[in-house]
Amino acid sequence: MYKKVFVYLPSRIPCGGAELAHQLVDYLRSHSKEAYMVYGEDMRNGSAELVMECYAKYDIVTVSEIEDNAENVLVLPETAYGMAKHYPNIKIACWWMSVDNFVQHELHYHHFHWNKAKNIYQNIRKWIHVMLYHLPIKSLDILYFLRKEQVRVIHMYQSQYACEYIKNHKLPHRYPLSDYINLELLPKEPIDKSKKENIILYNPRKGLEFTLKLIRNIPEYRFIPLQGMNRMELNECFDKAKLYIDFGNFPGKDRLPREAVMHDCCIITGRNGASAYFEDVPINDKYKFDAKDANIPMIRNRIHDIMNNYVSLSPEFETYKNIVLEEQKIFYSQIEAIFL
């Protein structure tokens, strides 16, 4: 196994992926593994700063340099796979938390210097490829590099969606390394289902155009966007609502539907990305719809059914709920299989 584990984050901006990276380092250190967090900002500054305050509860040591040694491993998020080109010796673990971020993100290597001629050349190649194949040229370059370097590269996937993506691109050495939602933030006592209201929750940052069409077609119910809330307010919404809908992209196993199902909300989703896979969103297929205008009457009927028969239908989501409850345990066992 690896002597030292370096987990890279491009910035100090808190988000789900950032917390997951800290959870990985924390668990490894709790098992006597030399594991370090490396922030891109620290590398540029040349000195390691303290860990972000919101992650101070984890046992984290930060460093500003990566030891490019064949006995070590560098864990990279999907937006930073290009860094592997600059470390020819260390083992590389590509952590596919989001497929969409890899495909869409324009990779920026802020702590490496590129001459203007190369930038112009890359931009010309990129735009030619976008026009012809609709995939950023940098993504193709990185995929080619990862295949070429497969002896020292492994791929860890957060979702079945990601697993299928890397499999289709002929990237070997695939290992599951998922995530879990913070169970401390979830209900301490069973939800009283009889007190649930005809409320439908949605994420306004995803699939909003189609969701607004549903809202216009189903005026009899109250729709609440999950935005601008603290943790307590978010939990109160989950506790009251009968249904959570999400017709946006699912770059991986999203957290909001998992939190919603833990509060005994029924779930309806689209079929974008990970939501198309039962392994990632384990609900009955009758609760998944393509986000098309032609499907609005069927979705409306399904919503009416849930609102009118919530108590009898909510047990259909127990499988999803039980899987979420096991995620932390599974995550730890996956870490052990890869790193310990």
Side-chain angles (χ1 to χ4, degrees):
M1 285 296 178
Y2 313 110
K3 183 178 180 181
K4 296 181 181 180
V5 180
F6 297 89
V7 180
Y8 175 80
L9 276 181
S11 71
R12 289 176 171 270
I13 299 174
C15 62
E19 180 159 25
L20 187 53
H22 288 80
Q23 289 168 343
L24 171 61
V25 172
D26 176 74
Y27 189 77
L28 290 172
R29 293 185 63 81
S30 72
H31 286 70
S32 303
K33 195 76 174 177
E34 282 194 73
Y36 305 96
M37 187 64 61
V38 187
Y39 299 112
E41 295 169 15
D42 289 359
M43 295 184 73
R44 294 191 291 277
N45 296 333
S47 63
E49 304 294 335
L50 294 175
V51 68
M52 285 187 278
E53 184 178 352
C54 56
Y55 303 133
K57 61 184 177 181
Y58 299 116
D59 176 19
I60 303 294
V61 173
T62 63
V63 295
S64 61
E65 293 184 3
I66 297 165
E67 297 178 24
D68 189 23
N69 186 305
E71 294 181 320
N72 301 334
V73 63
L74 171 60
V75 178
L76 296 172
E78 66 281 339
T79 57
Y81 293 163
M83 279 184 61
K85 294 182 178 181
H86 305 278
Y87 295 91
N89 300 308
I90 196 169
K91 300 294 191 301
I92 301 296
C94 297
W95 199 353
W96 295 82
M97 300 184 212
S98 164
V99 173
D100 297 7
N101 282 352
F102 172 75
V103 174
Q104 297 170 2
H105 188 76
E106 290 303 317
L107 301 175
H108 299 289
Y109 310 122
H110 295 295
H111 52 288
F112 298 112
H113 299 286
W114 302 91
N115 59 58
K116 291 183 180 179
K118 184 170 184 178
N119 282 335
I120 293 171
Y121 171 66
Q122 291 282 15
N123 284 335
I124 291 173
R125 290 180 67 210
K126 179 188 75 174
W127 286 112
I128 289 175
H129 196 84
V130 166
M131 288 186 288
L132 294 176
Y133 302 105
H134 310 292
L135 182 66
I137 188 66
K138 286 181 180 178
S139 298
L140 285 183
D141 286 346
I142 297 302
L143 287 171
Y144 174 77
F145 172 77
L146 295 176
R147 280 195 291 267
K148 188 177 68 172
E149 293 286 317
Q150 62 182 257
V151 172
R152 69 184 182 103
V153 176
I154 67 169
H155 298 272
M156 309 181 303
Y157 54 89
Q158 185 258 11
S159 64
Q160 187 63 31
Y161 173 46
C163 179
E164 295 300 323
Y165 181 86
I166 59 181
K167 187 188 301 182
N168 290 339
H169 285 85
K170 298 179 172 55
L171 298 172
H173 313 305
R174 299 179 292 268
Y175 302 90
L177 185 59
S178 188
D179 66 355
Y180 64 93
I181 62 174
N182 190 342
L183 299 182
E184 294 178 2
L185 303 175
L186 299 181
K188 299 293 188 278
E189 299 178 359
I191 302 293
D192 186 348
K193 294 183 179 182
S194 66
K195 294 183 179 180
K196 287 277 192 174
E197 302 174 23
N198 286 345
I199 293 174
I200 302 170
L201 307 177
Y202 67 96
N203 182 353
R205 294 176 298 177
K206 299 196 313 168
L208 182 59
E209 182 179 355
F210 187 75
T211 300
L212 290 176
K213 291 180 181 179
L214 288 176
I215 293 173
R216 289 193 292 269
N217 276 272
I218 317 175
E220 59 268 42
Y221 300 128
R222 182 183 175 195
F223 287 77
I224 298 179
L226 297 178
Q227 63 181 359
M229 301 180 187
N230 59 33
R231 188 69 238 182
M232 183 178 296
E233 292 168 336
L234 190 61
N235 282 348
E236 287 176 357
C237 278
F238 283 140
D239 288 345
K240 290 180 182 178
K242 290 182 179 179
L243 174 64
Y244 171 84
I245 63 172
D246 194 330
F247 290 92
N249 63 313
F250 274 66
K253 293 194 296 185
D254 277 12
R255 289 174 179 262
L256 276 180
R258 286 183 281 170
E259 293 185 10
V261 81
M262 291 304 300
H263 289 260
D264 289 322
C265 294
C266 298
I267 310 292
I268 290 178
T269 72
R271 297 178 182 274
N272 297 319
S275 62
Y277 293 87
F278 181 83
E279 296 90 338
D280 299 332
V281 183
I283 61 178
N284 192 296
D285 204 50
K286 68 182 182 181
Y287 297 110
K288 295 183 180 183
F289 299 86
D290 291 320
K292 297 179 180 178
D293 290 355
N295 287 335
I296 288 178
M298 288 188 291
I299 299 171
R300 183 176 60 228
N301 290 339
R302 184 69 65 215
I303 290 175
H304 284 320
D305 192 25
I306 290 173
M307 293 295 125
N308 294 327
N309 303 288
Y310 167 76
V311 174
S312 62
L313 291 178
S314 60
E316 295 187 21
F317 298 88
E318 285 297 315
T319 296
Y320 195 3
K321 186 174 179 180
N322 291 333
I323 288 173
V324 173
L325 285 170
E326 292 294 312
E327 284 180 336
Q328 185 177 39
K329 181 172 140 184
I330 293 171
F331 178 66
Y332 290 158
S333 67
Q334 290 170 340
I335 293 176
E336 293 170 8
I338 296 171
F339 296 102
L340 299 177

